[in-house]
Amino acid sequence: MATTIRSSFLPHLDPDESVAFYRDVLGFDVRLDVGGGTMRWITVGPPNQPDTAIVLHPPGVGNDVTDEEREVLQRLIAKGSYFGVNLSTDDLDATFAAIEAAGADIVQEPMEQDWGARDAAVRDPAGNMIRIQANPEETH
């Protein structure tokens, strides 16, 4: 039996800004864009990994979320302390430079971590933490 990750979910606060970040800055494909206005579910993913995706979604939708809870969720997302995803790249310095040049919110420049990884961190337009690690082959 093989189990893989098909998709992860990250909230967006502005679907157009999020699409521009994932498509134009990270180079992801937009695979689906369902809904309208701020109520859009947008599936993006790396072009070389058609079976792996991130679904960008409006936060706190559904009948089981109160308006007060939705406001708390949106504040946590905008603060960058709610969701995140880890990506990897074969050239961390070039990837980071391109993201920085695009005007992304930089959290941490590339650095060696105590646990052995070399990574950087940025926030997407909604505030989600995006950590980008160097592929192990790059650091050896």
Side-chain angles (χ1 to χ4, degrees), residues 10 17-31 44-49 53-54 56 84-92 94-106 120-125 128-133:
L10 290 176
E17 283 184 356
S18 290
V19 166
F21 177 79
Y22 285 92
R23 181 192 60 215
D24 303 337
V25 177
L26 295 182
F28 283 11
D29 290 335
V30 176
R31 299 179 183 155
V44 297
N48 58 343
Q49 293 181 291
I54 296 172
L56 305 168
V85 67
N86 288 7
L87 307 175
S88 66
T89 179
D90 58 0
D91 189 337
L92 179 60
T95 300
F96 180 79
I99 293 170
E100 185 176 43
D105 182 8
I106 304 299
V122 300
R123 294 191 197 286
D124 77 2
N128 298 303
M129 180 71 73
I130 310 295
R131 296 201 74 86
I132 305 167
Q133 293 184 337

Side-chain angles (χ1 to χ4, degrees), residues 111-119 133-134 136 139-140:
M111 64 180 288
E112 301 290 334
Q113 298 291 350
D114 293 341
W115 61 86
R118 183 166 182 271
D119 72 354
Q133 293 184 337
T139 57
H140 294 267

Side-chain angles (χ1 to χ4, degrees), residues 22-119:
Y22 285 92
R23 181 192 60 215
D24 303 337
V25 177
L26 295 182
F28 283 11
D29 290 335
V30 176
R31 299 179 183 155
L32 286 173
D33 191 341
V34 180
T38 59
M39 297 301 286
R40 290 166 52 194
W41 281 255
I42 305 149
T43 304
V44 297
N48 58 343
Q49 293 181 291
D51 295 331
T52 303
I54 296 172
V55 179
L56 305 168
H57 64 90
V61 294
N63 296 331
D64 58 340
V65 179
T66 66
D67 289 343
E68 181 179 314
E69 291 169 332
R70 190 170 296 107
E71 289 176 21
V72 170
L73 285 172
Q74 290 180 348
R75 284 197 309 266
L76 288 171
I77 293 164
K79 186 179 169 185
S81 58
Y82 193 58
F83 282 99
V85 67
N86 288 7
L87 307 175
S88 66
T89 179
D90 58 0
D91 189 337
L92 179 60
D93 293 315
T95 300
F96 180 79
I99 293 170
E100 185 176 43
D105 182 8
I106 304 299
V107 176
Q108 172 207 301
E109 294 190 8
M111 64 180 288
E112 301 290 334
Q113 298 291 350
D114 293 341
W115 61 86
R118 183 166 182 271
D119 72 354

